[in-house]
Amino acid sequence: MIENVALLGAPNSGKTTLFNWLTGHQQKIVNYPGSTIDIFMGPVLSSLGTELQIIDAPGTYSLFPKSLDEEITRQTLYDDKFDIKKIIVIIDSTQISRQLHLVRQAQEAGFQIVVALTMLDLYAKGQPSIDIHRLSLLLRAPVVAIDGILGGGVKELVEVVKKLSNNFDRKELKTLEMWSLSRMQEVFREGELFLKEFAHHEKLKIFDSTESKDKIFLHPLFGPLIFICIMVALFSSIYWAAAPIMDLVDSVFSNLSQVLKNTLPESLFSTLITDGIVSGLGAVLIFTPQIFILFIGISLLEDSGYLSRAAALVDKPLSKIGLNGKAFVPLLSGFACAVPAMMAARAINSSKERMLATFIIPFMTCSARLPVYALLIGFLFSKEPLKAGLLMALLYSGGLIIGFIASGLLDKLIKNKKPSFFILELPIYRMPRMRMVIRNSARRTFSYIYKTGPIIMILSLALWALSTFPNYKESNPTNRLESSYASQIGKSIEPVFYPLGVDWRVGVGLISAFAAREVFVSSLAVIFNNTQGSEDTIKDSLLEKMNAAEWPDGRKLFTKASVFSLLVFFMIAMQCMSTFAAAKQEMNSLKFAIFQSLSMNLVAYIAAAITYSVIS
Amino acid sequence: MTRVSDLQPAVCKEIVDVTAEPFVRERLLEFGVAPGRLLRVLRKLPFSGPVIVQVGTLFIALRREEADQVWVS
């Protein structure tokens, strides 16, 4: 009989670290029913004994939720599906008087609890530390000190959890009423009295050093400068550090596809494997290095304590467009991929602000736009790197500015249900530990693959089918595509593409880009019969083919005007099915997702048409 | 009574009242911004950005609007 035990703790209390010590690598992600909130589950390490499964829901300050994250955590505890009777409440030993509430609330609700006391390493040697026995008397619950760095105390914690009684009916659990002010003050007083007598932590050195670091990081002039430097560093690492790994993934998959093509006999089945499944897998995995590196960057900033300062610094400007500082991380993540970005938006308290953030996330230049930009900019300015760089920067800021305008407009249009507020804990500065950073980033990356993988896979298969049938026996890929359903659709709606200055061939590319933007490049390659050649030359020879492409009447197809119009279209349009699915799931509203896609694509289409007619 | 938003940095005062509307007040209380506790303004971010305060061992960033509704002696 496996018993479920929940972890309950405030953000920054060392909850995830404890979870990692308890479960090691055997973690799995479950979605809370009806939402995309991650709940992590894992059996305790066999060296610690068996029979326990640990459940890690998002951090919360109380059992009176103020955001979607916190709401899900509360529901998890009460949900019969998880059948939780025992809770490990994590208390940061430097924050006892404030976090005492959570202990009292869990007890009041009727759970059996044990308290895991963390962050004891912040007490310098020789300093009076906390009297654990006394604390246990005060809390009326067993207390185990946990060493987050070496994992000390974890075995003892498991022993204590096993001894807790589970001999009660979960129907006896109580839903709590919000505490009165006097009840809260009473608990604060309890904590403060205890600290006065049995611990002396108000004089901890770490608080002084945090204060002096804030003099620099939150300085009126240096603060914003450092912020900009850190962001530039993060962005360049997303692109430069990820590039070699992405190339590796790319070449592994194209080689795999090539090897399979050579070994398998030519048949429908072999093209399904090579062009459908393998390239679908490649599409799923190609951006994971970038997303992993983004998560490492965010984890580093988070664990060091800087991320909250960054959010505080940008709160004022973001409040002008109806957002708040907490939208910072979601928007930042949007530059890698909109899907994890939308997931990150859950921490935003007000539902209106969360909606605005989710709405404008796809305007951020995600990594899938890069290959498209690279190709089109390469076409315009192949020998002028300065102009090319400038145009790239323009497209990045263009997306950001349009997103901000959209948010500002929607902010005016939508009424607020709950008040907007910004109250953010600024944790102390600490040296991040690489092991935990990597492990947590891997955990988040897997969660991303797990959510988007199936959708991207299904769409690539659908796209493969559309571009293969009905003439699947044709061996020349260009002819096969030209007679396929995809191009039949493209040809029949060709007039739609005229205002953008392109024909049905580019139109097919645009349609296929709705699976994922970067697919635009590979479908152009197929359409313009550019499937031979090595990695390096594919782009160059595709550029040549694009240069040569003509309308039936002999005019050039790709001109400055039509390429600029395509760039503008890609900058604004919401073309990614995974993002559509994520938006629907996160907002729990198909209407929202449809409205978002339609309005963004309509604006993109109009803006691209205007661009075309102005330039030509 | 003074609003926290009007306090000068480095002065330590006792909180006497939190007048924010219930939802916001709850969160403030959960962060320890409760009558009877001591509060110190550490700094104010430029352009009327958030106010950074310390209550007990916790550093908190508050918007000026929230800081307006926390009263100290």
Side-chain angles (χ1 to χ4, degrees):
Chain A
M1 171 67 187
I2 288 196
E3 208 178 351
N4 281 343
V5 179
L7 297 183
L8 179 64
N12 311 310
S13 63
K15 189 167 69 73
T16 308
T17 307
L18 178 61
F19 181 69
N20 284 336
W21 280 118
L22 281 166
T23 62
H25 292 288
Q26 316 156 285
Q27 309 174 351
K28 64 174 183 195
I29 308 156
V30 290
N31 275 1
Y32 190 82
S35 79
T36 46
I37 303 271
D38 287 334
I39 295 170
F40 292 90
M41 294 170 85
V44 291
L45 290 170
S46 52
S47 57
L48 299 170
T50 44
E51 300 119 34
L52 293 186
Q53 170 155 268
I54 309 294
I55 295 176
D56 183 22
T60 183
Y61 290 105
S62 71
L63 292 183
F64 310 113
K66 309 277 182 301
S67 71
L68 186 61
D69 265 14
E70 298 179 359
E71 174 62 37
I72 294 293
T73 301
R74 197 190 68 88
Q75 284 178 23
T76 307
L77 297 181
Y78 285 99
D79 196 322
D80 288 333
K81 187 184 144 204
F82 295 105
D83 193 33
I84 291 161
K85 288 182 173 174
K86 298 177 178 178
I87 296 181
I88 299 171
V89 185
I90 295 104
I91 296 290
D92 173 349
S93 60
T94 67
Q95 303 287 343
I96 290 177
S97 54
R98 180 173 60 98
Q99 297 187 347
L100 199 55
H101 289 234
L102 209 49
V103 179
R104 289 282 182 258
Q105 287 165 11
Q107 285 172 323
E108 206 176 290
F111 292 101
Q112 285 290 312
I113 66 157
V114 47
V115 172
L117 194 64
T118 59
M119 308 288 170
L120 285 158
D121 57 297
L122 296 181
Y123 292 83
K125 281 206 182 85
Q127 238 183 354
S129 185
I130 288 173
D131 185 330
I132 305 247
H133 175 64
R134 291 282 175 176
L135 184 61
S136 162
L137 289 179
L138 170 82
L139 298 175
R140 300 188 289 278
V143 176
V144 180
I146 299 294
D147 179 346
I149 297 172
L150 297 171
V154 174
K155 202 175 170 86
E156 193 193 339
L157 181 70
V158 172
E159 290 307 316
V160 177
V161 171
K162 280 187 194 160
K163 280 189 206 130
L164 290 177
S165 151
N166 58 2
N167 200 4
F168 65 95
D169 192 343
R170 289 187 75 259
K171 290 196 183 81
E172 292 164 29
L173 291 176
K174 277 184 286 187
T175 327
L176 300 185
E177 295 281 325
M178 178 59 202
W179 282 4
S180 67
L181 174 61
S182 58
R183 176 92 174 92
M184 295 199 81
Q185 282 172 308
E186 191 189 310
V187 177
F188 280 129
R189 234 178 337 258
E190 248 184 312
E192 271 163 3
L193 275 176
F194 168 81
L195 290 176
K196 221 170 257 166
E197 230 172 309
F198 302 107
H200 301 266
H201 78 216
E202 307 261 340
K203 295 184 197 81
L204 277 179
K205 275 202 188 112
I206 191 96
F207 294 109
D208 295 335
S209 79
T210 290
E211 232 185 289
S212 52
K213 283 186 185 115
D214 271 342
K215 279 184 189 139
I216 307 163
F217 286 115
L218 295 177
H219 185 274
L221 178 68
F222 300 132
L225 275 180
I226 293 172
F227 172 82
I228 292 168
C229 290
I230 290 179
M231 287 310 119
V232 169
L234 181 62
F235 273 111
S236 19
S237 66
I238 292 177
Y239 294 113
W240 307 134
I245 319 175
M246 287 171 80
D247 288 346
L248 187 73
V249 175
D250 195 19
S251 70
V252 164
F253 277 94
S254 39
N255 282 333
L256 182 63
S257 167
Q258 207 55 51
V259 168
L260 285 173
K261 253 181 205 159
N262 294 342
T263 49
L264 289 173
E266 174 93 20
S267 70
L268 179 64
F269 178 70
S270 76
T271 63
L272 169 68
I273 297 220
T274 53
D275 298 337
I277 295 175
V278 173
S279 55
L281 272 179
V284 173
L285 293 178
I286 184 80
F287 292 111
T288 42
Q290 225 171 25
I291 286 163
F292 180 62
I293 286 172
L294 172 84
F295 282 148
I296 285 190
I298 291 180
S299 294
L300 277 174
L301 293 179
E302 201 174 8
D303 290 5
S304 67
Y306 183 75
L307 205 58
S308 318
R309 271 85 184 172
L313 281 171
V314 297
D315 177 64
K316 190 69 194 177
L318 288 180
S319 74
K320 299 280 180 214
I321 52 163
L323 294 171
N324 84 28
K326 286 188 184 172
F328 169 65
V329 176
L331 293 180
L332 176 68
S333 314
F335 283 94
C337 174
V339 176
M342 285 180 176
M343 298 197 260
R346 292 166 198 156
I348 302 174
N349 303 96
S350 129
S351 56
K352 177 183 164 186
E353 287 170 342
R354 181 159 166 260
M355 199 205 75
L356 289 182
T358 307
F359 189 89
I360 69 165
I361 281 168
F363 286 112
M364 306 303 123
T365 304
C366 70
S367 42
R369 283 183 176 101
L370 266 190
V372 180
Y373 286 176
L375 178 75
L376 296 176
I377 293 178
F379 180 85
L380 288 173
F381 304 117
S382 59
K383 294 197 177 61
E384 296 158 291
L386 190 68
K387 276 187 187 169
L390 211 64
L391 182 54
M392 189 69 110
L394 217 69
L395 289 165
Y396 264 80
S397 31
L400 193 67
I401 290 166
I402 291 168
F404 284 174
I405 294 172
S407 176
L409 280 176
L410 284 174
D411 178 42
K412 298 268 180 304
L413 290 174
I414 301 166
K415 284 216 177 83
N416 225 347
K417 282 189 203 134
K418 276 188 178 160
S420 156
F421 68 90
F422 181 74
I423 304 169
L424 189 67
E425 171 181 354
L426 302 182
I428 50 168
Y429 288 107
R430 300 194 69 178
M431 200 60 196
R433 271 171 303 137
M434 245 5 243
R435 221 179 105 169
M436 287 296 166
V437 166
I438 289 176
R439 192 178 271 189
N440 290 335
S441 312
R443 180 166 121 148
R444 290 178 187 177
T445 309
F446 282 124
S447 159
Y448 157 78
I449 297 175
Y450 167 84
K451 273 176 193 134
T452 57
I455 306 167
I456 299 180
M457 199 66 214
I458 290 169
L459 283 162
S460 349
L461 287 178
L463 195 70
W464 168 81
L466 278 178
S467 53
T468 307
F469 293 104
N471 241 343
Y472 62 90
K473 289 200 178 102
E474 170 69 56
S475 58
N476 181 324
T478 303
N479 294 345
R480 194 195 309 145
L481 183 84
E482 214 160 297
S483 59
S484 71
Y485 291 126
S487 42
Q488 286 172 28
I489 299 171
K491 278 175 195 161
S492 63
I493 57 171
E494 188 173 33
V496 174
F497 304 115
Y498 291 154
L500 307 188
V502 295
D503 67 353
W504 70 270
R505 289 176 289 183
V506 183
V508 170
L510 284 177
I511 293 173
S512 63
F514 277 87
R517 294 177 176 94
E518 73 276 13
V519 174
F520 181 73
V521 178
S522 53
S523 22
L524 278 196
V526 177
I527 298 166
F528 291 99
N529 191 14
N530 187 60
T531 44
Q532 285 88 40
S534 69
E535 259 305 293
D536 289 342
T537 60
I538 276 189
K539 194 182 149 199
D540 292 336
S541 62
L542 177 57
L543 286 177
E544 253 169 57
K545 293 259 164 57
M546 284 168 67
N547 250 324
E550 287 174 348
W551 287 93
D553 60 10
R555 281 180 300 132
K556 289 259 182 234
L557 177 59
F558 290 97
T559 59
K560 208 174 198 175
S562 64
V563 172
F564 263 108
S565 113
L566 283 174
L567 282 171
V568 168
F569 186 79
F570 272 95
M571 178 175 83
I572 304 173
M574 155 71 197
Q575 284 168 298
C576 169
M577 289 310 280
S578 322
T579 308
F580 179 86
K584 181 198 160 277
Q585 233 173 343
E586 290 296 323
M587 289 287 108
N588 196 15
S589 156
L590 183 62
K591 261 193 217 157
F592 173 87
I594 292 176
F595 171 71
Q596 182 182 35
S597 291
L598 280 184
S599 57
M600 286 178 74
N601 290 327
L602 193 68
V603 172
Y605 183 78
I606 295 172
I610 294 174
T611 310
Y612 179 69
S613 64
V614 166
I615 299 182
S616 65
Chain B
M1 291 218 299
T2 321
R3 295 169 193 273
V4 165
S5 44
D6 296 331
L7 273 186
Q8 286 311 306
V11 202
C12 197
K13 294 275 187 180
E14 188 182 322
I15 301 167
V16 287
D17 202 1
V18 181
T19 53
E21 65 90 42
F23 194 71
V24 179
R25 183 161 171 258
E26 258 176 47
R27 179 47 40 100
L28 284 167
L29 293 177
E30 283 164 9
F31 273 17
V33 183
R37 304 196 83 214
L38 293 176
L39 177 147
R40 186 161 66 109
V41 171
L42 295 175
R43 61 185 56 254
K44 293 174 173 178
L45 296 186
F47 310 111
S48 316
V51 185
I52 314 290
V53 301
Q54 184 182 8
V55 179
T57 48
L58 184 67
F59 301 98
I60 313 168
L62 302 173
R63 269 195 189 154
R64 299 281 160 119
E65 290 87 335
E66 275 90 56
D68 270 345
Q69 292 160 326
V70 180
W71 300 81
V72 292
S73 60

